[in-house]
Amino acid sequence: MKQLLLLFFFTLSLQAQFQINGIVKNANSNEVLPFASITTDNGNYSITDVDGKFSITSSTAISSFSVSYIGYSKTKINIRKNTSFYNVSLTQSTDNLNEVVINTENAAIAIIKKTIALKDNNNPQKRLKSFEFKTYNRLIVSANPDSISGQIDSIIVRKTRDGIYYKIDSTNYKFKNTVNKRHLFQTEKVSQFQFSGNKLKETILGTKMAGLKQPLYEILAFNLQSFSIYEPKYELFETKYNSPIADNSITEYNYKLLDTVTIAGRNSYMIYFKNKKKSKAKGLEGILYIDQNSFAIAKAIVRIRGLLDISAYHDFEYFADENIWFPIHKNFQIIKGKNDDDIKILGGTIQFDGDMEQDLSARKKQPSDYIYLRSESHNFDIQNNKSIQIPKPFYAVEIEKNALNKDETFWETFRKDSIDFRTQKTYSELDSIAVRKKIANRVQFGKKIINGYLPIAFFDLDMRKFFSYNNYEGFRLGLGGVTNERLSKNFRIEGYYAYGTKDGIFKGSIGAAAKVNKETNSWFGISYTDDVREIASTSFSIEKKPFKIYDPRPINISTFYNYLSWKGYYETKQIPKTESILEITHSEIEPKFSYAYLKNNQLYTNYTMTTAMVSLQWSPFSDFMLTPTGRIEIEKRFPKFTFQYTQSLGRLWDNDFDFSKFDFKTEYEKKYLNGQKTALLLQAGYVLGDVPLTHLYNTSPNNITKETIIQRITFSGKNSFETMFFNEFFSNKYALFQFKHAFNRVTLFKKIKPSLVLVSRMAWGNLERPEEHLGLNFKTLNNGFFESGIELNQIFNGLGLTTFFRYGPNQLPKFEDNIAIKLSYVLNLGF
């Protein structure tokens, strides 16, 4: 969900006696040249920004300046009277970095190799035992009003015999008036960073967000750029790239020594780097300033251009006592790039409209063309190698309880500069608009909608309960939900009621819970349920089902069992990086198909089960934020692990069977720089003891028993076996593995952009004493089950087509019976 463009590197407007500005371009193509070196005759030095622009101020007169750039001939410009802006054109020379393949160890490569070898000695997180500092950060979304034409245009709506009908377009006029007065969005925060024992934590001491009394925590946690330039995977706007000083960076980047400059009185090499890739995903480019003595990074500029233009700047200060360069300033900027699709970021706070016209030079500029996002951070009160005890180190970010209520005195203390008129107006106007248009309520409403709930007064309706279909119940119509914070933040009542048009039976559930710990979001609850469930299905109680407008797989399921159950439970996030739930359940089970379980010469057609179950999900590599309202996952990392253990409770409450059940699942996802993604799933289960078929494993089949391929066309599931027939296999122990690799969407026509996904699935299992299960004919997975296929998703308006083939020991005699063709549907909610 993310595309941003880097706005040009702004220079601070100083009231100096002499100032020159300009832009540097390629003389032939007219393309801007970023990072060109500018040297004045009086000793001032600068470089162009990502848009090729530069600005130099000086307290003494400037007579001339020189411009040099890698691969171009150097030129000298004499200062002209009454001229403050210079258009500089450079001619390309034969020494073009893009055409050079470096096979020998030139000066830049030697410097980079030394920098890589010594990076652990120069990285504050490796070199120092501990450090802490405070940071003031300000993020704005805005536009430069001077760049926008305030002209009111006429647009031809239609031509008729009676004349031409025009429509007045005042979009740019209104937009310019708005950004003249205020920014589009802004937020500030003051944080304390602490590092000790390889743990880095941010504690937010104060935060304010224009238009929202309670800020959007997701924006505060948004990772715009890496904390350290030394990280092997450098992150820009939540996309990771191989760092230019990673261990293997020499094979991925070209380097060139541009110059030597002085930073903080120490000589530094100025090294240009650029990714060697010539594909659409070009990777990083920029400049590293490397200390000539220690080979530490003294300054860094990192940028990437494509669908979004993004730039990040890192400034360091030299600490002589520790002989280390420590980060003191970061700057991040984005603007729109060249793209065909609309882009929304920060939940729609910024929207960049796509460029649909082939001739972009003739395209009229829209407001989104001028919008930029800029985030700037200043570090201060830096202390190194002090004794530090980090509270709650398992949280990457913690927001102090009073951080949302800081007065203006607090902000004046930490702001680097006094705020200007536009900034003041942004807070006052957006706060007023937020009250008038009830923005906070709308934000809360939107967050609940995308999670599947429709808030009405003090009750959130669960949209999953409205409508569904399966072969046993037919159309299932229902209503359900849970009370929200408007009724109580510490108590909830939840339930649903549903009716099946085919089985003609009402089902439902009612429950209540009380919060016992706010910080760990711990609840005690009880519930009563009378409903039906698919036989031998596997579910992990701790997993929250994602909201879907529809769930296609149950459409073809015919075999269910009815359960009447009383349940008591305790759910908590008390253990770091985990969610867990403990349940004690008493259930009366009645299979709704022809089935009997033979045990000790007794046939069970219905039975009682009393169990205790603990379910836990562990995300050891994810980052979490502790907010005043609870814990949220701010960066999802893989793998994730889910464990579940169920134990029958002897003869307690008339329990009929003694058994133990173990379930495990792990998921892994890897996103690549080129936009592709690989997803792996490993799942297993094992039952010991006496368990009827209803509570064994079916490994999620999704194929119906019909004669022809056409008759078997239905909707595909997410992780189901598409060529495995319903009730074909049952197991009391199993393991399955799934591999998926998704390629980028390919544009065939304007609205036809399919996404190709390669899928392979396999499963193994066994069923002990299959003769005890009467009424169904089935097989076991002793020899394994294998299928592979292709998904062409989102071909048109979310609809797609999938094809799978079944092979291996359980391949069927008729070739066509091993083929499954399914429809797929992906709904993009636009968030």
Side-chain angles (χ1 to χ4, degrees):
M1 68 174 183
K2 303 163 188 150
Q3 291 183 358
L4 291 155
L5 294 178
L6 178 66
L7 185 69
F8 56 85
F9 180 69
F10 282 106
T11 54
L12 189 62
S13 178
L14 299 176
Q15 297 301 317
Q17 187 175 358
F18 299 96
Q19 180 173 349
I20 57 172
N21 304 284
I23 188 169
V24 180
K25 296 182 179 181
N26 182 313
N28 296 323
S29 66
N30 209 37
E31 290 183 351
V32 299
L33 298 179
F35 311 132
S37 295
I38 315 293
T39 307
T40 65
D41 63 327
N42 64 355
N44 284 298
Y45 172 82
S46 182
I47 61 172
T48 59
D49 61 25
V50 294
D51 289 325
K53 297 178 181 180
F54 64 90
S55 178
I56 298 179
T57 56
S58 175
S59 57
T60 58
I62 302 173
S63 300
S64 65
F65 64 93
S66 299
V67 183
S68 60
Y69 192 73
I70 40 177
Y72 291 77
S73 300
K74 185 176 181 179
T75 187
K76 180 180 178 181
I77 308 295
N78 292 316
I79 299 299
R80 300 185 295 271
K81 188 177 181 180
N82 299 324
T83 302
S84 61
F85 190 89
Y86 294 83
N87 280 294
V88 182
S89 296
L90 297 184
T91 304
Q92 201 166 10
S93 67
T94 57
D95 181 20
N96 189 329
L97 182 65
N98 293 332
E99 303 299 327
V100 174
V101 178
I102 300 174
N103 296 314
T104 60
E105 187 162 298
N106 63 11
I109 292 293
I111 294 168
I112 290 296
K113 283 186 174 181
K114 195 70 176 288
T115 303
I116 293 171
L118 295 174
K119 66 181 178 180
D120 283 354
N121 189 57
N122 291 314
N123 182 357
Q125 290 176 271
K126 298 285 187 179
R127 170 81 173 278
L128 302 175
K129 293 180 180 179
S130 65
F131 59 76
E132 65 178 353
F133 59 87
K134 291 186 176 68
T135 296
Y136 168 76
N137 171 266
R138 179 170 175 244
L139 182 150
I140 65 169
V141 178
S142 192
N144 184 359
D146 296 333
S147 302
I148 306 168
S149 170
Q151 181 179 345
I152 298 178
D153 297 323
S154 297
I155 302 173
I156 297 177
V157 179
R158 68 181 186 275
K159 295 181 179 179
T160 69
R161 286 181 297 179
D162 298 328
I164 300 175
Y165 291 84
Y166 293 90
K167 177 182 178 182
I168 300 300
D169 180 16
S170 59
T171 304
N172 282 357
Y173 173 78
K174 292 178 179 178
F175 183 66
K176 179 168 184 172
N177 282 346
T178 297
V179 296
N180 251 323
K181 294 185 295 183
R182 62 171 174 84
H183 302 301
L184 303 177
F185 176 78
Q186 70 184 16
T187 180
E188 296 176 280
K189 70 174 179 177
V190 174
S191 302
Q192 181 181 45
F193 283 84
Q194 295 176 298
F195 173 81
S196 180
N198 292 323
K199 298 286 186 181
L200 178 66
K201 180 183 178 182
E202 177 186 6
T203 302
I204 298 177
L205 308 176
T207 179
K208 63 187 302 188
M209 194 172 288
L212 294 171
K213 288 185 178 180
Q214 179 171 304
L216 292 174
Y217 299 125
E218 292 81 0
I219 292 180
L220 292 177
F222 210 76
N223 197 8
L224 297 175
Q225 66 189 108
S226 284
F227 171 80
S228 172
I229 191 67
Y230 290 100
E231 295 176 13
K233 295 294 184 182
Y234 185 85
E235 191 163 0
L236 274 181
F237 199 56
E238 298 199 325
T239 300
K240 293 185 177 181
Y241 306 87
N242 208 37
S243 167
I245 55 171
D247 291 341
N248 62 344
S249 62
I250 300 294
T251 62
E252 292 194 25
Y253 289 92
N254 287 324
Y255 301 90
K256 186 159 187 176
L257 177 61
L258 300 183
D259 207 344
T260 57
V261 298
T262 301
I263 300 178
R266 295 174 65 88
N267 292 331
S268 298
Y269 298 111
M270 185 178 176
I271 304 289
Y272 175 85
F273 66 88
K274 185 174 183 180
N275 197 284
K276 295 179 180 179
K277 292 182 180 179
K278 295 185 178 181
S279 61
K280 187 175 181 179
K282 295 180 180 179
L284 301 177
E285 67 173 312
I287 293 179
L288 299 175
Y289 296 79
I290 300 173
D291 188 296
Q292 290 188 9
N293 293 324
S294 65
F295 290 88
I297 305 298
K299 182 177 180 179
I301 302 172
V302 184
R303 60 90 57 98
I304 187 166
R305 286 198 298 179
L307 297 178
L308 300 169
D309 283 351
I310 308 174
S311 290
Y313 302 78
H314 296 259
D315 292 308
F316 297 77
E317 181 180 333
Y318 181 70
F319 285 70
D321 291 343
E322 291 88 0
N323 187 29
I324 197 167
W325 289 87
F326 196 87
I328 58 166
H329 174 255
K330 289 198 305 183
N331 185 292
F332 176 91
Q333 301 175 83
I334 53 180
I335 60 171
K336 179 185 176 183
K338 295 180 180 179
N339 56 283
D340 295 331
D341 298 321
D342 293 349
I343 305 166
K344 293 182 181 180
I345 62 172
L346 301 183
T349 300
I350 313 175
Q351 175 168 334
F352 296 120
D353 300 323
D355 301 327
M356 301 307 296
E357 289 88 345
Q358 293 296 320
D359 183 8
L360 295 181
S361 62
R363 172 183 173 272
K364 178 186 174 183
K365 285 195 171 185
Q366 301 299 316
S368 66
D369 293 308
Y370 305 103
I371 294 175
Y372 64 85
L373 179 149
R374 183 171 71 242
S375 172
E376 191 163 5
S377 299
H378 297 274
N379 302 340
F380 55 97
D381 291 350
I382 301 169
Q383 298 184 56
N384 295 327
N385 288 330
K386 304 292 183 181
S387 179
I388 297 175
Q389 293 294 326
I390 302 178
K392 303 172 186 173
F394 36 84
Y395 290 113
V397 183
E398 181 178 357
I399 302 177
E400 287 194 344
K401 293 180 179 179
N402 63 346
L404 311 182
N405 304 311
K406 299 298 184 181
D407 57 22
E408 194 60 26
T409 304
F410 172 87
W411 295 106
E412 290 175 356
T413 303
F414 293 107
R415 285 178 181 135
K416 188 170 180 62
D417 300 299
S418 58
I419 60 175
D420 57 17
F421 172 78
R422 289 176 76 197
T423 300
Q424 291 176 337
K425 199 70 173 177
T426 303
Y427 279 122
S428 61
E429 283 208 8
L430 289 186
D431 289 348
S432 176
I433 292 172
V435 172
R436 186 170 67 252
K437 296 190 175 183
K438 301 181 179 179
I439 298 297
N441 291 341
R442 292 185 179 187
V443 169
Q444 188 67 14
F445 180 87
K447 291 172 71 174
K448 290 189 175 184
I449 286 291
I450 63 175
N451 285 310
Y453 290 93
L454 177 64
I456 298 178
F458 60 84
F459 196 76
D460 293 343
L461 290 175
D462 189 343
M463 293 188 287
R464 301 172 185 84
K465 305 297 183 184
F466 290 168
F467 172 86
S468 62
Y469 180 86
N470 61 67
N471 262 348
Y472 174 73
E473 295 177 281
F475 291 100
R476 177 176 168 130
L477 310 175
L479 199 65
V482 59
T483 57
N484 57 39
E485 64 280 355
R486 294 183 65 178
L487 179 67
S488 174
K489 294 182 179 180
N490 300 312
F491 180 78
R492 70 186 183 211
I493 300 172
E494 53 193 331
Y496 64 86
Y497 203 58
Y499 176 77
T501 59
K502 189 173 180 179
D503 66 344
I505 296 175
F506 287 95
K507 302 98 179 171
S509 177
I510 187 69
K515 183 182 288 187
V516 294
N517 188 295
K518 181 179 179 180
E519 182 177 317
T520 61
N521 198 27
S522 300
W523 295 75
F524 271 117
I526 58 171
S527 67
Y528 170 77
T529 303
D530 179 1
D531 206 341
V532 293
R533 181 176 295 160
E534 177 192 1
I535 67 168
S537 57
T538 302
S539 63
F540 292 85
S541 294
I542 194 58
E543 288 188 332
K544 303 296 188 293
K545 292 184 179 180
F547 171 56
K548 299 178 181 179
I549 297 295
Y550 82 108
D551 188 1
R553 185 178 169 274
I555 291 174
N556 302 305
I557 301 173
S558 301
T559 47
F560 287 79
Y561 65 88
N562 172 251
Y563 63 101
L564 296 169
S565 68
W566 285 94
K567 179 173 69 176
Y569 64 90
Y570 172 70
E571 62 181 32
T572 184
K573 298 179 181 178
Q574 187 167 359
I575 303 173
K577 299 196 173 188
T578 69
E579 296 182 52
S580 57
I581 185 169
L582 173 65
E583 297 178 356
I584 296 178
T585 307
H586 172 76
S587 301
E588 302 289 340
I589 308 297
E590 181 185 357
K592 291 298 182 179
F593 60 101
S594 179
Y595 172 73
Y597 181 46
L598 178 62
K599 188 63 182 174
N600 297 327
N601 297 320
Q602 181 179 349
L603 284 176
Y604 290 89
T605 56
N606 52 66
Y607 31 87
T608 301
M609 303 180 77
T610 304
T611 60
M613 183 271 293
V614 60
S615 184
L616 181 144
Q617 186 173 73
W618 181 37
S619 305
F621 304 104
S622 294
D623 282 340
F624 293 87
M625 171 191 278
L626 181 61
T627 76
T629 58
R631 188 188 80 182
I632 59 174
E633 187 176 13
I634 57 174
E635 184 167 358
K636 183 185 292 186
R637 297 195 185 104
F638 294 90
K640 289 175 172 284
F641 305 94
T642 307
F643 308 88
Q644 189 163 285
Y645 170 59
T646 306
Q647 178 65 53
S648 63
L649 298 179
R651 293 301 170 186
L652 180 65
W653 225 345
D654 299 323
N655 178 52
D656 284 326
F657 309 115
D658 293 322
F659 66 91
S660 302
K661 191 173 184 180
F662 306 88
D663 294 287
F664 169 78
K665 180 168 75 171
T666 182
E667 299 171 278
Y668 178 79
E669 288 185 7
K670 180 176 176 59
K671 295 181 179 179
Y672 300 93
L673 177 60
N674 59 10
Q676 299 181 32
K677 183 175 78 170
T678 297
L680 306 177
L681 170 66
L682 175 63
Q683 188 170 311
Y686 189 21
V687 178
L688 292 170
D690 306 323
V691 181
L693 196 70
T694 52
H695 289 68
L696 294 178
Y697 302 109
N698 64 13
T699 56
S700 192
N702 193 32
N703 205 9
I704 56 177
T705 308
K706 298 287 185 180
E707 286 296 323
T708 66
I709 295 175
I710 300 299
Q711 289 175 320
R712 293 195 298 270
I713 292 179
T714 58
F715 281 94
S716 63
K718 181 182 179 182
N719 298 321
S720 54
F721 284 85
E722 303 301 333
T723 60
M724 183 185 293
F725 294 97
F726 287 104
N727 302 328
E728 185 178 3
F729 297 95
F730 290 97
S731 308
N732 74 303
K733 50 186 173 184
Y734 81 101
L736 67 83
F737 176 75
Q738 174 181 272
F739 166 86
K740 283 189 175 185
H741 183 83
F743 295 89
N744 287 327
R745 297 183 70 178
V746 178
T747 302
L748 300 180
F749 301 100
K750 183 176 179 180
K751 291 188 177 181
I752 299 180
K753 302 177 181 180
S755 169
L756 173 65
V757 183
L758 302 181
V759 185
S760 283
R761 299 187 181 99
M762 54 203 73
W764 298 266
N766 192 19
L767 178 59
E768 299 171 355
R769 302 183 300 277
E771 67 279 1
E772 295 178 347
H773 306 281
L774 309 177
L776 284 179
N777 294 320
F778 58 85
K779 297 180 287 186
T780 61
L781 287 168
N782 302 62
N783 297 319
F785 186 95
F786 304 87
E787 72 173 22
S788 294
I790 295 175
E791 296 179 354
L792 282 175
N793 297 321
Q794 303 182 77
I795 297 175
F796 182 75
N797 286 343
L799 281 172
L801 193 66
T802 71
T803 303
F804 285 85
F805 182 72
R806 172 173 173 166
Y807 57 93
N810 276 296
Q811 187 174 29
L812 299 173
K814 292 178 63 176
F815 179 79
E816 58 268 28
D817 289 344
N818 298 291
I819 298 174
I821 298 176
K822 306 288 180 72
L823 300 174
S824 67
Y825 184 72
V826 176
L827 177 66
N828 185 0
L829 294 176
F831 293 93

